[in-house]
Amino acid sequence: GKTEAIVKNFSPHYKRQYAVAFCKHVQDELEQHRNSQSQFLKTKPKLEAGTVLYETELLHFAEDVKKWKDRYVVIKNDYTVDYYETKEAYQKGLSPKHHTVPAGGKVLTLEEDYNLLSDKHFPDPVGLSEKETAQAFVQLPREFPVYLWQPFTRHSYYCFQEPEAQRHFSAVLSDCVRHSNYDFLKQTTYEVEAFLEAIQFFRQEKGHYGTWEMITGNEKEILSNLVMEELLPNLQTMILPKMKGKRNDRKRAWFGFLEEAYGLVQQQVAEGLSTLKEECRDFAKTLEGTIRSDMDQILNSKNFLAGKIKATVSEPAQKCCTENIQPFLTSILEELMGPVSSGFTEVRSLFDKEVNEIIQNFQKTNDTTKLKEDVDQLMNLPFNSVKMEPSYLKVNLLQELLHDLKSRFKVYHVDFVVQRTQNFMQELMENAVYTFEQLFSPSRQADSVKVATTLEKVKQRVLKQYDYDSSTVRKKIFQEALVQITLPTMQKTLASTCKPELQKYEQFIFADYTSVIQVENVYEEILYQMLLEETLKVIKEAAILKKHNLFEDNLNLPCESVSSLTDLKTPSGSAQTTPAKKPSTARMEASDTDTQSEETLIVAEKVLWEKDRGDRKPSDKEAVISVHMVGSQASKSEEVLITGISEKQDSLSSTPTKQESAEGNTESMTKADYVGDTEKKLKMQQEAVEEEVASGAERALRDVGPEEELKVPEGAVEEKVTSEKESKVKEEGAEVKLTSPSNETAQTEVLGNAEMKIEEEKGVTGELSQSENE
């Protein structure tokens, strides 16, 4: 009955939020919104479903027979635990004997710690005698146990012969808990967004603000946990007084009873959610036509409503923010930055150490086959729980440091920040090893003498890209944490004054759009945006001060240039960029301590092709090559500017202003004169231009050198060297500007791009002449 009531009360919230989220989904689709967050490292593709991460034989306590049994445990990349009777049973494809979803669990390796935690969740009305204190809840057959405690399911117990095996399994199990808790949040579908919003508003009805404490597991588990929280007091009153026998027996019976009740609740919740989702999907189909055709009106209506609500809410919200939130943001951020940044630094050090070992092994053996095996093994590093564990432990300090927030901001679930941060750390390590493997793979067959040098250069490049991505991810973590810590305070403070006023704003929504625009959502967005602006200010200040190696958003980091990586190229399809390399260890150390001074070097070379260099008119083809390369404070760019006479040639290019100029300038010319001039001159000079561009670019790039560090200070002005003759030619013709595909393209690739563009220009000119003749 309790489950049915909660699902029924939750349903209206979910239906409203489903329509709102679906409308936003269609808006993103129509506007083609994409994640604009810059990232240097390549994103590692997801593992195939069913990939085995860990398997071993261990002793497991079987609750059904109350005995320890040998079991073969398999953990796949869904981070659940399967138990088989034997390894052979698993290999034959038989069903597992038992299955555990460790969401919401805690992993412990000391019996004392487990007893404290389990006693805390067993409100025994009888009490605890001295004799019963000495009795172990589960007799251990071996010295090194692992306990998996879970709030509403029966606990799991494991035993090992060696401490190394105990540590390995506990680390893997901890990974399973953290992924089971929060991998649900990685799903960016509108149904997930609708569910989380609905849960938030459902809880606010009961006076609970904030979202952390209710996110554990997937949709079914989250809603089932809410049901169990409400059921628990009734269950304790009904069941506990009737329990007889020894304390450990009563305790075991209570945990077993909770497990049975939780299973029934989950089953009923799953059925209710399935029916609810089907209704919402059908309703969304009826809305889709209106949403797509009226998107502009919907957005205008929502913005108008937001303006009305903001006029009422701004003053009390700003007062609350000024008095209760702003004074504490900087200190909270300081507490967050230390452990989080140390965790990411530890991940960086681990990657550096592992690659150094690969390099040293290769230098000793010169064995390319072993080198390939080592690089392939490096790809498993993010899933090596034992090696990654020291990095994760750094972040656990947040549990203690954020303890004071509990009284001021009512934050009780710091686990959310800790485990989400650890997930981000693992993802960044995945991207780092994947990028390393992708960059190095083309060089595996290269000269063995150069391989060690190439490995080092690839490593340095990946580390510099890691530094940038680490800064970006950490700022995202800080932003999310600061808002989630402080938002409940603002919601609760304004609830009595602003919430009752919201109903009157319904009149400002057009009748056709009442399903996809909700006043409560607009109100929450306004509060969220106010807090977001405040948190971004303190994060930006920290970045300007370069605390914990945070970078400013507009900073382009120095990384290894592709041309210096011994025939390495970024694989096709990569959208990431690669700034230039720093030449010495001293420079790198200076950058790490944020004391490196800015240096300036602008390289510009003019290559001018003319038939004669006297006072004659300029030739019909002129080219200016301008090469700019920057170090730590600006991105490197190379561009080749080719100017020529060709009326309407730019109509085939992407520069409308130049097209208009070309059309205006050629009105005074007859078509016959123009076509004749183009045919005669371009036919004679195309080959000469092609050769001159190549040789001129080579000279310019050779003067720079592939390994030099070239920097431009902020605000530096680029000089483009041109001649009076060039400007005269521009008046008569049009210009085609060829820009390198990314600001970080290697110098050698610039030359190739220029040559390719000239070949394309030949075809364009021929088509243009034919068009003019027609």
Side-chain angles (χ1 to χ4, degrees):
K2 179 69 73 172
T3 306
E4 183 180 354
I6 287 180
V7 172
K8 184 178 179 180
N9 293 335
F10 171 75
S11 295
H13 292 286
Y14 186 73
K15 289 177 180 178
R16 286 197 298 272
Q17 296 309 314
Y18 195 99
V20 172
F22 179 73
C23 180
K24 184 180 177 183
H25 163 73
V26 175
Q27 179 190 351
D28 290 344
E29 181 186 306
L30 293 175
E31 298 178 359
Q32 296 184 338
H33 285 179
R34 290 181 173 85
N35 185 7
S36 59
Q37 178 177 298
S38 58
Q39 176 179 308
F40 274 45
L41 295 171
K42 295 179 70 65
T43 301
K44 182 183 180 299
K46 293 182 179 179
L47 294 174
E48 292 184 9
T51 300
V52 175
L53 302 180
Y54 176 85
E55 53 185 311
T56 191
E57 192 171 51
L58 48 69
L59 269 179
H60 173 245
F61 187 76
E63 283 285 355
D64 52 347
V65 294
K66 304 293 186 296
K67 291 182 180 179
W68 290 91
K69 293 284 187 179
D70 287 319
R71 292 285 183 256
Y72 193 75
V73 169
V74 177
I75 296 175
K76 299 180 181 178
N77 59 333
D78 62 353
Y79 293 98
T80 61
V81 186
D82 287 327
Y83 308 83
Y84 297 86
E85 288 193 355
T86 61
K87 184 176 182 179
E88 290 73 21
Y90 164 66
Q91 292 174 335
K92 289 179 181 178
L94 300 179
S95 298
K97 188 79 174 175
H98 187 60
H99 179 78
T100 297
V101 179
K106 294 184 184 299
V107 180
L108 307 158
T109 56
L110 294 176
E111 186 176 16
E112 296 80 5
D113 293 341
Y114 169 75
N115 287 336
L116 285 173
L117 185 60
S118 60
D119 286 345
K120 182 180 178 182
H121 290 81
F122 174 53
D124 188 5
V126 178
L128 182 64
S129 69
E130 216 175 289
K131 182 179 178 182
E132 289 176 324
T133 305
Q135 296 175 349
F137 185 64
V138 176
Q139 296 293 334
L140 301 177
R142 293 178 182 172
E143 187 178 352
F144 303 102
V146 174
Y147 302 88
L148 175 62
W149 174 91
Q150 291 183 272
F152 302 122
T153 60
R154 205 178 304 229
H155 309 159
S156 301
Y157 314 96
Y158 315 89
C159 244
F160 298 89
Q161 196 80 36
E162 304 292 336
E164 292 79 10
Q166 178 198 42
R167 182 193 170 196
H168 193 174
F169 184 73
S170 65
V172 172
L173 202 55
S174 296
D175 286 354
C176 291
V177 170
R178 129 176 98 76
H179 281 284
S180 298
N181 284 349
Y182 304 120
D183 274 3
F184 170 65
L185 299 180
K186 293 180 181 178
Q187 304 175 34
T188 55
T189 65
Y190 60 88
E191 288 189 343
V192 170
E193 182 179 342
F195 180 84
L196 293 176
E197 291 289 339
I199 285 287
Q200 174 179 311
F201 290 119
F202 177 63
R203 287 176 58 80
Q204 285 184 16
E205 277 190 349
K206 304 176 183 300
H208 301 297
Y209 297 90
T211 56
W212 289 1
E213 59 271 25
M214 60 84 182
I215 299 180
T216 300
N218 56 30
E219 293 167 304
K220 180 181 71 174
E221 287 156 358
I222 290 171
L223 197 53
S224 297
N225 290 344
L226 292 181
V227 175
M228 290 299 293
E229 285 178 6
E230 295 208 10
L231 274 176
L232 205 55
N234 293 336
L235 294 178
Q236 290 172 355
T237 303
M238 291 166 51
I239 304 300
L240 288 173
K242 300 178 182 179
M243 287 185 171
K244 307 296 180 183
K246 296 179 180 179
R247 186 173 190 277
N248 281 343
D249 292 336
R250 298 195 308 273
K251 188 175 177 181
R252 187 173 286 108
W254 170 247
F255 292 149
F257 184 83
L258 285 182
E259 182 180 42
E260 293 294 335
Y262 189 61
L264 293 173
V265 168
Q266 279 193 314
Q267 182 180 351
Q268 199 169 346
V269 164
E271 293 171 358
L273 273 178
S274 179
T275 303
L276 182 58
K277 280 188 175 183
E278 285 302 317
E279 293 176 4
C280 290
R281 287 166 186 158
D282 292 340
F283 181 58
K285 290 178 183 177
T286 66
L287 292 175
E288 187 169 4
T290 302
I291 293 173
R292 291 187 180 277
S293 61
D294 296 357
M295 181 56 70
D296 289 343
Q297 293 93 318
I298 292 172
L299 294 178
N300 289 337
S301 179
K302 181 181 176 183
N303 292 336
F304 180 77
L305 173 66
K308 292 289 186 181
I309 297 177
K310 195 169 185 179
T312 303
V313 170
S314 288
E315 186 175 345
Q318 191 59 53
K319 183 175 184 289
C320 170
C321 188
T322 303
E323 295 177 356
N324 304 322
I325 295 172
Q326 279 178 344
F328 309 100
L329 286 177
T330 301
S331 59
I332 298 173
L333 179 60
E334 288 288 342
E335 300 288 1
L336 287 169
M337 282 195 296
V340 171
S341 297
S342 65
F344 279 88
T345 300
E346 193 74 17
V347 170
R348 185 189 195 277
S349 300
L350 176 60
F351 173 81
D352 189 21
K353 172 179 170 290
E354 293 292 321
V355 176
N356 285 342
E357 289 182 3
I358 292 175
I359 296 173
Q360 291 167 8
N361 290 339
F362 179 76
Q363 289 173 332
K364 292 176 183 177
T365 63
N366 209 30
D367 185 345
T368 54
T369 302
K370 181 63 167 61
L371 173 63
K372 182 182 184 304
E373 293 175 359
D374 289 345
V375 174
D376 290 342
Q377 187 63 32
L378 183 70
M379 298 293 288
N380 297 323
L381 181 59
F383 308 103
N384 189 320
S385 302
V386 173
K387 288 186 176 181
M388 292 291 292
E389 187 178 38
S391 304
Y392 300 147
L393 292 177
K394 296 281 186 182
V395 189
N396 284 345
L397 291 174
L398 282 176
Q399 296 279 10
E400 301 173 12
L401 294 175
L402 297 181
H403 180 76
D404 293 341
L405 294 178
K406 292 183 179 180
S407 58
R408 179 171 297 280
F409 293 104
K410 307 302 178 186
V411 178
Y412 298 106
H413 292 264
V414 183
D415 284 351
F416 178 87
V417 184
V418 173
Q419 295 184 3
R420 285 270 285 166
T421 298
Q422 291 167 344
N423 279 355
F424 281 124
M425 290 160 61
Q426 183 176 3
E427 288 176 16
L428 209 53
M429 178 63 95
E430 289 182 50
N431 293 344
V433 298
Y434 177 69
T435 303
F436 180 89
E437 193 265 349
Q438 290 291 300
L439 289 176
F440 178 67
S441 57
S443 301
R444 285 181 177 170
Q445 305 303 322
D447 183 0
S448 59
V449 178
K450 299 179 181 178
V451 169
T453 303
T454 302
L455 284 166
E456 178 64 28
K457 289 180 177 179
V458 173
K459 183 195 76 172
Q460 292 300 331
R461 175 178 177 180
V462 172
L463 286 175
K464 291 170 186 176
Q465 293 176 341
Y466 175 93
D467 289 340
Y468 177 83
D469 288 0
S470 167
S471 173
T472 303
V473 170
R474 282 180 289 134
K475 285 191 287 187
K476 178 181 178 180
I477 292 170
F478 300 150
Q479 171 191 321
E480 181 183 74
L482 287 175
V483 171
Q484 293 295 345
I485 287 171
T486 56
L487 183 59
T489 296
M490 181 174 281
Q491 290 171 329
K492 190 173 183 179
T493 303
L494 302 181
S496 59
T497 55
C498 296
K499 273 260 184 174
E501 300 294 317
L502 293 182
Q503 189 173 358
K504 69 181 183 183
Y505 294 105
E506 300 282 353
Q507 61 180 315
F508 296 111
I509 305 175
F510 290 130
D512 292 342
Y513 309 144
T514 53
S515 297
V516 295
I517 301 176
Q518 296 294 328
V519 171
E520 58 186 1
N521 287 75
V522 177
Y523 168 75
E524 292 290 337
E525 286 174 11
I526 291 171
L527 300 188
Y528 179 89
Q529 199 61 38
M530 289 185 68
L531 283 180
L532 183 62
E533 291 173 3
E534 295 299 328
T535 59
L536 290 179
K537 287 178 187 176
V538 297
I539 294 172
K540 185 177 180 180
E541 289 172 3
I544 292 173
L545 297 174
K546 299 180 180 178
K547 292 184 177 181
H548 296 283
N549 204 28
L550 286 181
F551 300 136
E552 298 177 63
D553 290 335
N554 61 349
L555 180 64
N556 293 305
L557 292 185
C559 289
E560 196 80 47
S561 68
V562 182
S563 61
S564 66
L565 290 178
T566 314
D567 300 326
L568 285 183
K569 290 185 179 179
T570 301
S572 60
S574 173
Q576 288 106 22
T577 55
T578 309
K581 179 193 177 186
K582 295 183 179 179
S584 66
T585 305
R587 287 288 179 92
M588 291 168 61
E589 292 173 352
S591 174
D592 291 340
T593 55
D594 303 311
T595 59
Q596 181 175 349
S597 62
E598 299 184 84
E599 297 179 7
T600 305
L601 179 57
I602 300 179
V603 179
E605 178 170 341
K606 175 182 175 182
V607 182
L608 182 63
W609 292 278
E610 295 183 15
K611 283 288 184 179
D612 300 301
R613 290 188 176 273
D615 293 329
R616 296 169 28 173
K617 289 184 178 180
S619 64
D620 298 309
K621 275 285 180 182
E622 288 185 347
V624 177
I625 296 181
S626 177
V627 182
H628 328 271
M629 287 168 291
V630 302
S632 61
Q633 297 300 316
S635 63
K636 175 183 61 187
S637 65
E638 304 88 11
E639 60 183 37
V640 179
L641 189 64
I642 301 175
T643 309
I645 300 176
S646 53
E647 179 197 6
K648 297 186 181 178
Q649 181 176 5
D650 285 293
S651 66
L652 302 176
S653 71
S654 59
T655 315
T657 57
K658 298 193 187 308
Q659 176 187 6
E660 295 167 4
S661 175
E663 291 175 353
N665 289 336
T666 56
E667 285 178 357
S668 61
M669 300 173 60
T670 65
K671 288 186 177 181
D673 290 341
Y674 171 75
V675 174
D677 183 66
T678 302
E679 289 178 346
K680 290 177 182 178
K681 295 183 177 181
L682 291 184
K683 187 174 182 181
M684 295 171 61
Q685 296 174 11
Q686 280 169 352
E687 293 183 2
V689 170
E690 192 173 345
E691 295 173 1
E692 290 293 329
V693 169
S695 62
E698 285 177 354
R699 289 196 300 273
L701 297 177
R702 192 163 53 245
D703 291 340
V704 175
E707 292 294 327
E708 287 186 16
E709 180 188 30
L710 306 173
K711 301 178 184 171
V712 176
E714 196 169 344
V717 180
E718 166 193 352
E719 275 190 76
K720 290 193 175 180
V721 184
T722 59
S723 66
E724 294 180 0
K725 293 181 180 181
E726 179 191 354
S727 62
K728 187 173 182 180
V729 172
K730 287 182 180 178
E731 292 176 0
E732 297 176 354
E735 67 176 16
V736 180
K737 187 174 183 180
L738 311 179
T739 307
S740 60
S742 82
N743 289 336
E744 313 303 334
T745 309
Q747 297 97 318
T748 54
E749 295 176 342
V750 176
L751 179 58
N753 289 338
E755 293 172 344
M756 289 173 61
K757 289 294 184 180
I758 292 174
E759 289 295 328
E760 294 173 5
E761 188 178 1
K762 291 181 182 179
V764 172
T765 305
E767 293 174 5
L768 183 61
S769 298
Q770 182 179 354
S771 175
E772 290 297 336
N773 284 326
E774 291 173 356

